[in-house]
Amino acid sequence: MKQLYIIRHAKSSWKNLSLDDFDRGLNKRGALNAPFMGLKLKEAGVLPDIIISSPALRAKITAKVIAKKTKYKKDIIFDKNIYESTVNNLHKIVTSIDDKNNIAFLFGHNPTLNMLVEDYIDFYDNIPTCGIVKIEFNCNSWKEINGSNASFISFDCPKRYKE
């Protein structure tokens, strides 16, 4: 059994319009939501075996904050192929994960994350910033994952906790 947590970066800042898209950090809401969702994962007892993230600043910060909250002790893999990726490239990244890892976090961007989720399962909601979709694959190797062995497990996002 393989578990994939597809996590969209937290809300980014548009304050400095002269910044390149790649270099945008988090805004106030994003800076609050990332640790909040990390704590939700920790409370659920989730500890990833591997974290792979886009190196874009907003994704990088989100991945680091959630890694810290979940007590992840290994290095985060920052893969430039996630930024402005295609679904095919994201699938290749996931299927290349070493099989010693059973629980993987993938941090990235929409619309490609949504499209990847839709490739695996019937999920047509928008993944909002800091949203997390958990998918389980009934197989022993990441190379074998696909829509026929995928099951939707959960969807969570900060908006669910706001009054």
Side-chain angles (χ1 to χ4, degrees):
M1 184 83 59
K2 301 297 182 190
Q3 295 179 352
L4 179 62
Y5 290 78
I6 296 175
I7 306 170
R8 185 173 173 200
H9 64 78
K11 189 76 175 163
S12 61
S13 174
W14 288 90
K15 254 186 190 174
N16 185 348
L17 297 178
S18 67
L19 275 181
D20 185 64
D21 180 71
F22 188 86
D23 297 320
R24 288 188 298 114
L26 301 182
N27 69 11
K28 282 183 189 177
R29 190 171 91 198
L32 293 172
N33 287 345
F36 177 79
M37 294 308 291
L39 285 175
K40 288 292 176 195
L41 289 165
K42 183 180 181 233
E43 288 169 4
V46 178
L47 178 61
D49 297 314
I50 188 170
I51 295 178
I52 307 168
S53 176
S54 161
L57 187 58
R58 59 195 179 276
K60 188 183 255 189
I61 293 169
T62 305
K64 285 181 176 182
V65 168
I66 289 178
K68 184 176 181 181
K69 291 295 180 185
T70 59
K71 306 290 187 209
Y72 180 77
K73 302 288 186 209
K74 301 174 194 170
D75 289 335
I76 297 170
I77 299 165
F78 294 105
D79 188 330
K80 67 182 183 322
N81 296 307
I82 296 172
Y83 182 71
E84 297 185 338
S85 189
T86 64
V87 173
N88 223 18
N89 283 344
L90 288 182
H91 180 72
K92 285 178 188 174
I93 290 166
V94 175
T95 57
S96 69
I97 295 173
D98 190 310
D99 287 331
K100 70 180 179 190
N101 302 298
N102 292 314
I103 301 172
F105 284 8
L106 177 67
F107 288 85
H109 312 272
N110 266 356
T112 320
L113 286 183
N114 253 104
M115 293 162 55
L116 180 68
V117 170
E118 291 167 14
D119 253 21
Y120 294 141
I121 58 172
D122 290 332
F123 181 88
Y124 301 102
D125 290 335
N126 178 54
I127 302 170
T129 51
C130 223
I132 303 170
V133 178
K134 178 182 178 185
I135 302 171
E136 276 187 358
F137 297 93
N138 188 16
C139 59
N140 295 316
S141 174
W142 289 103
K143 289 172 186 52
E144 300 170 359
I145 69 166
N146 60 55
S148 66
N149 59 24
S151 298
F152 170 76
I153 302 300
S154 65
F155 168 64
D156 204 4
C157 65
K159 291 179 182 178
R160 291 187 163 191
Y161 302 94
K162 306 296 180 202
E163 294 180 7

